[in-house]
Amino acid sequence: MSRSTLLHEGWTLRAEPGRQVPPEIAGTPVPAVVPGCVHTDLLAAGLIPDPYLDDNETALAWIGRTDWVYQTSFDAPDGDHDRVDLVCAGLDTVATVTVNGVEVGRTANMHRGYRFDVGASLRPTGNTLSVRFDSAYRYAEAQRDRLGDRPNAYPEPFPFIRKMACNFGWDWGPTLVTAGIWQSIGLHAWSSARLATVRPLVTVDGTDGRVELHVEVERATDTPLTVRAAVAGGAAEATIPAGQRAAVLTVSVREPALWWPRGYGDQARHDLDVTLAGPDGGTLDAWNRRIGFRSVHLDTTPDPHGAAFTLHVNDVPVFVRGVNWIPDDAFPTRITRERLAHRFDQAVGANINLLRVWGGGRYESEDFYDLADSLGVLVQQDFLFACAAYPEEEPIAAEVAAEAAEQVVRLAPHPSLVLWTGNNENIWGWHDWDWQEPLAGRTWGRGYYLDVLPRTVAELDPTRPYWPGSPWSGSEEIHPNDPAYGTTHIWDVWNTDDYTKYRAYVPRFVAEFGWQAPPAYATLRRALSDDPLAHDSPGMAHHQKAIDGDLKLQRGVDAHLPAPADFDDWHYLTQLVQARAMQVGIEHFRSHRDVCSGTIFWQLNDCWPVTSWSAVDGDGRRKPMWYAVRRAYADRLLTVQPRPDGLAVVAVNETADRWRTPVTVTRSTLDGEPRAKATLEVDVPAYASVTLVLPADLAGPDEPRGELLVADAGDGAERALWLFAEDRDVRWPAPALDAVVEPVDGGQRVRVTARSVLRDLTLFPDRLDASAEVDEALVTLLPGESATFTVRSGTPLDPAALTTRPVLRCVNDMKGRAPS
């Protein structure tokens, strides 16, 4: 049997001499954690400030332009083995590996693993392993100079190196160019043969499951081998004759329990065990994964609206309620399984059923995919190309091909993975971002997206669909971002327009759209030393990476809300606009579910404390937008929508059960006096929507600035609201309320009873205790109505502070609110 030994102990790190290296670091060995990276080791040693605080990021730019050497010592594995390999799961990025002073390998790709035969270089004890990392900047800039520059959304050389692109900075991320042994490293001692790759192609045929298992071996001796596989009561065996290196086994399983996306059924998984045996029957190697039996296909059939983009799992169409995912930390080794589990809980808590792993980050971890499998969260994985023209020349082309093959094989067992995407916005960029003239005929990535990658998926995992880009229309003859075909990104809304423009689109599938807001107040106070905080104070400005981001935030406030009088107002209002923008967009797209088959908003998470499009900020705190998304993505949605013939109530049902309920629609004054009222009977089939146009007396106000429309479902589902004027113009009364605070296990319950209308009532308990969280937000109450908020915190909070501004907020507490 083979033997594996991790080499994660005893490492040191040192900087190679360089002009920019601080004298206290130059030549000094630093304890190193493996897996890890240079930044986290220097931070742990107290040699650099936290790069996430204030503008420290800028002062640490030298790290990415320095060469670094990791070193440790180890003993050789006991016993006699035909081979001893050094297995490097992930080296970041341009590395030279030596054992006892002998070079055993070089790498230039963060996104793939490497295996080097080191047996001839080993002595029994006291071996020295060194990994030298050349500056990623110097390597990428040299490739750029050799191949010719390419257009790029950012002035950084990331397209010229196979490394996490967002290390070089993004419009939501810091520029922190890492180096290090970022995944496991160790020795694998083996004899005769080992399992090199195991590739299960899992399908469903009627009620039966089928696993077509492709096995490749690496040999040290030339003897017959036996491969055995077993799963869910089925088994198969194959012989690999001497001189051959591959076998295909097919395991059939009668009526296995299927794997379903969350909301459609259970997430049944089955252990798939594979063993490799020698001529004497002894086990040489073993492999195990949990698989799920399910089918997946993408319906792109042309129709009167253009062409569909509908995901089917087990032959059931799934309306995607998705969100984009970026790396959860700029330093990936700080992302623990526990942290990922919390982020998945936040996604599921917001009724999300798909995560799109964006192409400027990484191929996500086994922990990420195992959590997705267990929870029924679908995953769309981008190949790693984003927002730039990528060269197709060597050595990059060979790295891309090897990386793609490795990752397709690695992720094949996971039932949650339902779609591979070739790139993020690069085909769109070639069309619309003025790339063609500066490219002057040079390669830009087309060959990857339309040849190399689809061929790789087709050859190695034909059970899953591939889509060349996000966005992509399905054909080079149609503009890649045509909303009527395939997937579309909607960014004009954030960049140049108002969020109500989402209603101008009825797309087939929206793969990106979003609106910014600052992070939670406690996150800002931890990360910034600005005193006082202001939207344009130095730390706030440094942690706003989007072009004209603050101007766009202010444009959103100006279009809808009263003018902020101070930073507290600005913080609340910009977070409120973000929440409303996402609610308007999602509810509109869902109301057209007969045409639109999914939305993936930008974005769930952040990698550091920053003003961004996220629903969960860089410290893991939920913004008000998260609560708005939870409401907009609910299984059963009631929404008021403008239609050509007037206002309509739309009921959307994403459950397997018919939804029958009376809906009471009331047009009333702000003080709760009804002006018109009707009860509608809603009957929505499973996985469908129904639109009911409202009569004129409900849809037409007598006083637009003094009335609102409320639709309430009889079964207690979320109510839907419609205002006839913008909040800045509505004659909101000064807020009048009664608040009662009482202790509960782990926190406090706050019950608010409205004596006046209260618009978007929200609690911000993190202003009092950084650990505090609240279960609800953005609640509008009519006079006489009540709402209960449960606050969980590490310490009891002052009831008076908990129930007054700036902790308890509503639109009509604004000092600058519109006059009556």
Side-chain angles (χ1 to χ4, degrees):
M1 189 73 173
S2 62
R3 176 182 176 185
S4 294
T5 307
L6 291 176
L7 300 177
H8 289 177
E9 305 298 328
W11 288 89
T12 59
L13 168 70
R14 74 172 190 276
E16 292 284 71
R19 289 178 300 172
Q20 296 180 318
V21 181
E24 65 271 19
I25 295 175
T28 302
V30 177
V33 173
V34 170
C37 76
V38 170
H39 289 79
T40 52
D41 289 331
L42 295 177
L43 182 61
L47 294 171
I48 61 171
D50 189 331
Y52 287 4
L53 306 185
D54 295 319
D55 63 350
N56 293 341
E57 162 205 358
T58 303
L60 301 178
W62 62 272
I63 295 174
R65 295 191 173 276
T66 300
D67 300 336
W68 299 90
V69 177
Y70 281 76
Q71 188 167 299
T72 192
S73 60
F74 66 95
D75 295 337
D78 295 333
D80 294 326
H81 309 280
D82 293 336
R83 280 272 297 273
V84 179
D85 294 341
L86 178 67
V87 182
C88 309
L91 300 176
D92 176 17
T93 295
V94 184
T96 303
V97 183
T98 61
V99 174
N100 296 327
V102 177
E103 182 179 316
V104 297
R106 296 192 175 204
T107 77
N109 193 333
M110 179 181 179
H111 305 307
R112 55 178 289 215
Y114 295 85
R115 177 182 285 262
F116 307 115
D117 181 355
V118 297
S121 303
L122 296 182
R123 44 185 180 245
T125 61
N127 297 280
T128 299
L129 170 61
S130 295
V131 185
R132 173 195 166 99
F133 292 96
D134 292 344
S135 163
Y137 266 120
R138 189 171 67 251
Y139 177 92
E141 288 166 351
Q143 297 295 334
R144 180 190 63 193
D145 294 344
R146 183 177 67 85
L147 298 172
D149 203 1
R150 302 294 200 277
N152 180 355
Y154 305 98
E156 296 282 346
F158 66 83
F160 297 91
I161 184 171
R162 296 310 296 160
K163 175 175 171 58
M164 197 160 82
C166 60
N167 272 174
F168 292 86
W170 224 259
D171 56 4
W172 39 256
T175 303
L176 295 167
V177 177
T178 56
I181 303 170
W182 80 285
Q183 297 201 77
S184 66
I185 188 170
L187 299 175
H188 182 207
W190 55 279
S191 295
S192 187
R194 70 175 187 90
L195 293 167
T197 63
V198 179
R199 180 165 51 94
L201 305 183
V202 183
T203 55
V204 177
D205 182 8
T207 60
D208 293 341
R210 184 174 185 270
V211 182
E212 184 180 287
L213 197 67
H214 295 252
V215 175
E216 294 182 356
V217 300
E218 185 177 14
R219 289 179 173 275
T221 60
D222 201 9
T223 58
L225 303 168
T226 302
V227 182
R228 299 183 179 92
V231 59
E237 180 179 303
T239 298
I240 304 178
Q244 296 187 20
R245 297 177 180 270
V248 179
L249 301 77
T250 299
V251 183
S252 296
V253 179
R254 295 282 295 171
E255 300 183 346
L258 298 183
W259 184 94
W260 289 93
R262 60 175 302 270
Y264 290 79
D266 295 332
Q267 289 75 53
R269 291 192 288 169
H270 309 268
D271 284 311
L272 171 60
D273 295 302
V274 179
T275 58
L276 179 67
D280 61 357
T283 299
L284 300 172
D285 205 354
W287 180 97
N288 169 272
R289 295 291 187 277
R290 300 190 76 192
I291 65 169
F293 288 98
R294 61 101 183 94
S295 65
V296 56
H297 78 272
L298 194 60
D299 178 10
T300 57
T301 306
D303 60 26
H305 303 286
F309 189 89
T310 306
L311 193 67
H312 291 244
V313 178
N314 298 330
D315 297 321
V316 175
V318 175
F319 186 94
V320 169
R321 291 173 276 172
V323 63
N324 285 273
W325 171 270
I326 65 170
D328 206 52
D329 200 299
F331 309 126
T333 53
R334 299 204 298 201
I335 305 170
T336 62
R337 183 182 177 95
E338 180 182 22
R339 177 165 160 179
L340 282 174
H342 182 49
R343 211 65 74 237
F344 268 85
D345 285 346
Q346 290 172 321
V348 169
N351 296 310
I352 286 160
N353 65 7
L354 180 143
L355 297 178
R356 174 193 168 214
V357 181
W358 168 77
R362 61 170 293 194
Y363 302 100
E364 267 300 341
S365 66
E366 289 301 311
D367 282 338
F368 179 97
Y369 271 97
D370 185 59
L371 288 164
D373 291 346
S374 67
L375 293 169
V377 176
L378 304 174
V379 180
Q380 173 184 346
Q381 173 74 61
D382 285 10
F383 287 100
L384 300 185
F385 305 88
C387 301
Y390 282 76
E392 299 175 43
E393 289 77 19
E394 298 296 351
I396 297 171
E399 289 293 344
V400 166
E403 161 196 319
E406 178 177 318
Q407 295 297 339
V408 169
V409 170
R410 178 178 76 89
L411 296 176
H414 292 286
S416 58
L417 177 58
V418 292
L419 180 64
W420 284 101
T421 308
N423 73 87
N424 176 78
E425 298 190 341
N426 296 346
I427 301 175
W428 182 22
W430 186 83
H431 277 263
D432 285 1
W433 296 355
D434 299 321
W435 286 6
Q436 295 182 35
E437 183 176 345
L439 275 170
R442 291 196 297 274
T443 59
W444 56 275
R446 179 188 179 279
Y448 297 143
Y449 318 136
L450 298 177
D451 178 21
V452 174
L453 298 176
R455 182 158 33 88
T456 300
V457 174
E459 290 175 357
L460 297 178
D461 189 8
T463 71
R464 287 180 174 87
Y466 168 85
W467 198 247
S470 187
W472 172 245
S473 62
S475 168
E476 289 189 281
E477 306 304 314
I478 302 171
H479 189 280
N481 202 33
D482 188 329
Y485 296 84
T487 60
T488 190
H489 290 191
I490 300 176
W491 282 114
D492 56 346
V493 170
W494 159 252
N495 283 315
T496 59
D497 293 291
D498 182 63
Y499 62 73
T500 55
K501 190 183 176 182
Y502 286 131
R503 297 188 180 118
Y505 292 91
V506 183
R508 307 318 302 265
F509 191 103
V510 194
E512 281 190 22
F513 64 108
W515 199 277
Q516 271 202 346
Y521 187 83
T523 300
L524 291 174
R525 286 285 52 160
R526 184 191 70 81
L528 306 180
S529 59
D530 297 2
D531 189 17
L533 271 177
H535 74 89
D536 57 353
S537 57
M540 286 292 296
H542 185 79
H543 289 243
Q544 167 59 278
K545 299 291 189 177
I547 296 173
D548 295 330
D550 271 9
L551 293 177
K552 294 169 185 177
L553 288 174
Q554 192 61 49
R555 189 187 74 231
V557 172
D558 292 344
H560 298 279
L561 292 160
D566 54 23
F567 180 80
D568 291 337
D569 283 356
W570 179 89
H571 186 259
Y572 167 58
L573 293 179
T574 51
Q575 288 196 330
L576 176 58
V577 171
Q578 181 193 40
R580 288 194 186 170
M582 288 300 91
Q583 189 159 1
V584 165
I586 292 171
E587 290 190 7
H588 164 72
F589 298 134
R590 288 190 69 187
S591 79
H592 290 281
R593 78 178 304 285
D594 54 331
V595 175
C596 177
S597 58
T599 65
I600 309 177
F601 71 86
W602 187 272
Q603 67 212 60
L604 178 66
N605 59 327
D606 271 324
C607 65
W608 75 315
V610 65
T611 297
S612 86
W613 298 264
S614 71
V616 175
D617 74 19
D619 282 5
R621 295 187 175 93
R622 299 174 296 186
K623 299 181 188 177
M625 167 184 167
W626 182 91
Y627 301 87
V629 168
R630 179 177 66 178
R631 209 166 286 154
Y633 269 166
D635 290 346
R636 288 176 171 173
L637 170 70
L638 198 66
T639 179
V640 178
Q641 294 291 324
R643 291 291 189 258
D645 45 358
L647 291 180
V649 168
V650 183
V652 185
N653 181 18
E654 293 299 338
T655 75
D657 300 317
R658 182 177 290 274
W659 183 22
R660 293 187 178 96
T661 182
V663 174
T664 301
V665 184
T666 307
R667 176 170 62 87
S668 68
T669 64
L670 297 181
D671 62 10
E673 179 187 344
R675 293 289 176 88
K677 190 171 184 178
T679 298
L680 312 175
E681 293 299 326
V682 169
D683 185 354
V684 193
Y687 306 116
S689 64
V690 168
T691 300
L692 301 173
V693 177
L694 295 177
D697 65 331
L698 284 171
D702 300 324
E703 300 175 80
R705 295 176 61 199
E707 297 180 13
L708 51 73
L709 191 73
V710 182
D712 281 307
D715 57 5
E718 284 288 349
R719 70 171 26 167
L721 297 174
W722 182 265
L723 290 182
F724 298 102
E726 298 296 344
D727 284 89
R728 67 184 183 194
D729 301 320
V730 172
R731 293 195 295 268
W732 294 117
L737 59 90
D738 297 309
V740 177
V741 180
E742 58 184 6
V744 295
D745 288 345
Q748 291 155 290
R749 182 180 296 121
V750 181
R751 183 171 179 82
V752 177
T753 301
R755 288 187 279 112
S756 70
V757 63
L758 302 175
R759 173 66 162 153
D760 281 320
L761 187 70
T762 303
L763 266 174
F764 296 94
D766 64 286
R767 285 176 168 266
L768 304 177
D769 175 2
S771 71
E773 292 185 325
V774 65
D775 66 338
E776 188 56 276
L778 305 172
V779 178
T780 295
L781 296 177
L782 300 179
E785 294 182 335
S786 297
T788 299
F789 302 86
T790 300
V791 177
R792 303 293 178 187
S793 60
T795 183
L797 306 180
D798 174 27
L802 193 57
T803 54
T804 54
R805 188 181 187 278
V807 177
L808 183 64
R809 297 303 309 261
C810 61
V811 170
N812 40 320
D813 75 5
M814 302 295 298
K815 295 175 181 177
R817 65 181 181 271
S820 300

